[in-house]
Amino acid sequence: MLKTRLALLFIASIACSISARAQQTDSLKKDTIKIDTAQVNKFRIDSRKNAIPTRVRQITIQREQIPVTMLDYKPVYWKKAVTFALNFSQSAFTNNYSAGGVNSVALGTNFIYHTEYNKAPFSYVSELNLTYGVAKNKGQGKRKTNDRIYFDNKLASQLSKHWYFFGSLTFESQFDKGFNYTDLGNGQFSSQEISNFMAPGYLTESLGFEYKPTGYFDLRLGTGTARQTFVLSDSVRKVNDYGVGQNHKVKNDLAFQVVALFDKDIAKNIHLNTRYALFIPYNQSPKYITHRVDAVLSAKVNRLINVTINGTLLYDRHTADAAQGTEGLALGMLYRFP
């Protein structure tokens, strides 16, 4: 009986609990209100775009120099260049060649050494130019076709952006004897010596101002220039004393000198080097003013082969009454370093 009563009591307590939860759920259902969110969205207020004011500044781009510390290297103030050219030509004919001709061999060489030193405000430029050529025709002896020694040195100090004060020393002469040939007929020739080493030879010292607007153009105004003319060969002096005089070997002149240099690639693989020199003696007549133009035009075919045209125009009353000129065309090898 006791067990039956306890079971009935447990069932009754469970039933009471379920009834209480059901009443609580019914009360919650009565207090809940359904809300239509679509109606609420009508009352939403959106914020304006870029509500916070912003300032727009103009951007300026300009060049700024960034300080760079010195690296571990040494500046090089010297620049050197070497040019060597060799030109060779040859022709041969058989004895019965109907058009005729003379067997001949010709060889020409040119050596140029150029060096520069630049450390502001000082600069130094030196150029050594050596040229020599010979030709040998059948039935004739060896004959000189080209011969020149030219050594120029210039020291300058910068005064402004394009102007310098300079001093220069220049030497000019030739290596070998030069002859004037006269045809005597029957294949016979007479020769007369007209030049030799230091006959003539020129040593020129000059002080003045230099104008250099670009790297390829240079104009020197030698307001104080002195030149020594040497004729050390007695046989040459008998034919032409070059203004020195028969009883003298050296002559001194004071003059005003202008030297213009142009050295530039005027087209692809074509280079032009031109030098003009004007010499006006102070103590002589204007008719003894000297003009000289030297020009070399070289066209590079490939790394070693080139075509060269060189010419010289000289007007000097001490050597001849009329203007003198020479021209040469050569195909050969050319080597430059670096």
Side-chain angles (χ1 to χ4, degrees):
M1 289 293 291
L2 181 59
K3 292 182 178 180
T4 303
R5 289 178 181 179
L6 290 175
L8 292 174
L9 182 61
F10 178 71
I11 293 171
S13 63
I14 291 175
C16 291
S17 176
I18 292 172
S19 176
R21 288 186 178 181
Q23 292 178 0
Q24 184 178 3
T25 302
D26 291 339
S27 64
L28 289 175
K29 289 181 179 180
K30 293 178 181 179
D31 295 336
T32 301
I33 301 175
K34 294 183 179 179
I35 298 176
D36 188 359
T37 57
Q39 297 296 328
V40 176
N41 289 337
K42 295 180 180 181
F43 303 99
R44 179 178 295 173
I45 300 176
D46 296 331
S47 61
R48 294 181 302 168
K49 294 183 178 180
N50 299 328
I52 301 175
T54 58
R55 295 180 61 188
V56 179
R57 295 183 179 181
Q58 185 178 2
I59 299 175
T60 303
I61 300 175
Q62 61 183 3
R63 183 182 298 175
E64 294 289 342
Q65 292 185 353
I66 301 176
V68 179
T69 58
M70 290 296 294
L71 302 177
D72 188 15
Y73 67 88
K74 294 182 180 180
V76 177
Y77 302 108
W78 287 96
K79 183 173 68 173
K80 302 177 183 179
V82 176
T83 302
F84 178 75
L86 179 64
N87 303 309
F88 176 79
S89 64
Q90 181 267 341
S91 60
F93 305 86
T94 61
N95 294 331
N96 60 344
Y97 188 68
S98 59
V102 177
N103 298 344
S104 65
V105 177
L107 179 66
T109 60
N110 184 220
F111 175 82
I112 301 175
Y113 178 76
H114 183 91
T115 181
E116 292 185 19
Y117 174 82
N118 289 286
K119 185 179 181 182
F122 298 103
S123 66
Y124 170 73
V125 178
S126 178
E127 181 177 333
L128 175 64
N129 192 330
L130 307 177
T131 305
Y132 190 76
V134 293
K136 177 69 171 64
N137 296 330
K138 183 179 180 181
Q140 299 176 357
K142 181 186 69 173
R143 297 189 178 185
K144 183 171 64 173
T145 58
N146 208 349
D147 190 3
R148 189 188 185 202
I149 302 174
Y150 176 77
F151 187 36
D152 182 55
N153 298 271
K154 182 197 68 175
L155 180 64
S157 177
Q158 189 170 14
L159 300 176
S160 64
K161 184 177 180 180
H162 300 306
W163 285 95
Y164 297 78
F165 179 76
F166 82 93
S168 66
L169 177 66
T170 306
F171 172 74
E172 295 181 76
S173 187
Q174 53 276 322
F175 289 100
D176 201 1
K177 295 180 180 180
F179 296 91
N180 185 19
Y181 297 94
T182 304
D183 190 358
L184 302 177
N186 298 324
Q188 301 296 320
F189 294 87
S190 65
S191 61
Q192 187 179 41
E193 184 180 348
I194 58 174
S195 66
N196 202 343
F197 177 72
M198 294 300 291
Y202 302 96
L203 186 64
T204 306
E205 307 90 13
S206 183
L207 291 173
F209 299 94
E210 178 185 28
Y211 177 63
K212 193 170 184 179
T214 63
Y216 57 84
F217 179 75
D218 184 356
L219 178 65
R220 304 182 197 176
L221 304 175
T223 54
T225 302
R227 171 181 286 180
Q228 294 79 46
T229 303
F230 300 87
V231 182
L232 305 184
S233 173
D234 295 334
S235 58
V236 172
R237 194 164 52 251
K238 291 178 182 179
V239 178
N240 191 343
D241 60 10
Y242 294 92
V244 173
Q246 292 295 325
N247 299 323
H248 299 84
K249 296 184 177 181
V250 182
K251 179 187 177 183
N252 292 285
D253 289 306
L254 295 177
F256 174 78
Q257 186 183 47
V258 177
V259 177
L261 303 173
F262 182 87
D263 190 5
K264 184 183 180 182
D265 290 332
I266 58 175
K268 185 178 180 180
N269 295 332
I270 299 179
H271 186 84
L272 176 63
N273 182 288
T274 305
R275 181 180 184 269
Y276 168 72
L278 171 67
F279 189 81
I280 306 176
Y282 290 137
N283 59 345
Q284 296 184 31
S285 172
K287 68 179 182 180
Y288 291 106
I289 295 176
T290 301
H291 303 266
R292 178 172 179 140
V293 180
D294 294 281
V296 179
L297 181 66
S298 59
K300 191 174 182 180
V301 179
N302 56 33
R303 186 173 177 269
L304 291 177
I305 306 299
N306 78 305
V307 178
T308 302
I309 302 175
N310 62 77
T312 299
L313 180 64
L314 173 65
Y315 179 77
D316 186 357
R317 291 293 296 272
H318 289 301
T319 59
D321 293 334
Q324 308 167 61
T326 178
E327 176 271 335
L329 173 63
L331 173 66
M333 295 185 299
L334 178 68
Y335 177 76
R336 286 193 179 98
F337 178 83

